[in-house]
Amino acid sequence: MSYDEVVLGRRSIRGFKPDPVPMALIKEILTMAMRSPSSMNTQPWNFTVVTGEPLNRIRAGNTERNLAGIPHSREFRIGQPFAGVHRERQIGVAKQLFSAMGIARDDAPARQDWVLRGFRQFDAPVCVIITYDKVLAGSDDTPFDCGAVSTALVNAAWSRGLGAVINSQGIMQSPVVREHAGIPDDQVIMKAIALGWPDETFPANAVVSERKSVEEAARFVGF
């Protein structure tokens, strides 16, 4: 695929085939992703790639703790709930997804099942947990750089036929993630990326989220 085909064709994948993803392919994707720029070449990112039984234990523990009402322990700040136009965009993509999945507004069980899928990393065969060194905490450049490498990772995956979705639901209970993924205390857990072969029969995978226009997003000065 050309660069334009990757960027314009990529979409978030939330339904995966159970087929395993070869480690060699994941290493290839990470190699491509790590060509991403970073502030003063700090390259703050680290990756813990989890599959199989350890990932199943993370899914189970994350789901059980969330359903039990244990407060989330995300290590990367959530901030205040979205409001205004940002909330409207959040609602907009939710409507697209629920419409594709045939989930009615008053269908509480189906909506709960959707939430549980997020807690389970959308049942993807692989989870890539992105962390950064705790000594860099407080630097805004560090999460900015990790965001850049995340974008590069999902694009590299898409160019090779894999699907991905960047998410936080699957790592909301950080003690569970640390225990079963063996993440050391000197790392801050930032995000997770569910990764695998897209299930083309899963309706939500066809959803292409709407984007605001260049006219809305950009100002041109001095032209």
Side-chain angles (χ1 to χ4, degrees):
M1 283 188 263
S2 70
Y3 178 78
D4 286 5
E5 288 172 331
V6 172
V7 172
L8 296 175
R10 188 208 64 80
R11 56 193 183 275
S12 292
I13 296 301
R14 297 175 174 87
F16 298 88
K17 296 178 180 178
D19 309 45
V21 181
M23 183 188 295
L25 180 55
I26 298 173
K27 287 182 176 180
E28 182 180 314
I29 289 166
L30 291 176
T31 299
M32 295 296 293
M34 288 191 291
R35 293 304 306 169
S36 175
S38 66
S39 176
M40 295 169 282
N41 198 36
T42 50
Q43 303 179 58
W45 46 71
N46 298 291
F47 309 94
T48 300
V49 186
V50 190
T51 191
E53 188 54 34
L55 179 53
N56 288 335
R57 289 196 292 267
I58 291 174
R59 296 190 221 274
N62 188 59
T63 301
E64 290 167 6
R65 286 169 64 99
N66 281 317
L67 288 178
I70 297 174
H72 75 79
S73 50
R74 269 189 52 181
E75 298 175 11
F76 190 66
R77 292 175 298 175
I78 296 176
Q80 298 300 314
F82 295 137
V85 66
H86 304 102
R87 175 62 175 163
E88 291 172 8
R89 293 188 188 120
Q90 180 186 25
I91 292 172
V93 74
K95 286 181 176 178
Q96 285 182 274
L97 291 167
F98 288 166
S99 176
M101 296 297 296
I103 300 174
R105 184 180 181 85
D106 59 352
D107 190 343
R111 286 176 174 253
Q112 174 75 347
D113 180 67
W114 186 258
V115 171
L116 294 178
R117 289 183 62 83
F119 292 164
R120 300 194 309 266
Q121 285 281 342
F122 300 94
D123 298 323
V126 174
C127 172
V128 181
I129 302 166
I130 298 178
T131 66
Y132 59 84
D133 296 339
K134 190 170 287 186
V135 295
L136 297 173
S139 163
D140 288 338
D141 284 327
T142 294
F144 181 90
D145 294 341
C146 288
V149 82
S150 299
T151 298
L153 194 159
V154 298
N155 282 338
W158 188 263
S159 74
R160 287 156 175 76
L162 288 166
V165 61
I166 302 171
N167 70 92
S168 298
Q169 304 100 304
I171 56 168
M172 291 179 72
Q173 301 290 339
S174 61
V176 172
V177 179
R178 285 191 179 279
E179 177 185 357
H180 299 300
I183 295 175
D185 290 338
D186 64 356
Q187 297 292 301
V188 176
I189 299 172
M190 179 179 167
K191 283 284 184 179
I193 299 177
L195 182 71
W197 304 104
D199 179 356
E200 300 298 344
T201 68
F202 191 73
N205 286 348
V207 170
V208 179
S209 57
E210 298 174 354
R211 290 292 189 268
K212 60 182 180 181
S213 67
V214 171
E215 287 71 25
E216 292 177 278
R219 296 173 59 247
F220 295 89
V221 180
F223 285 85

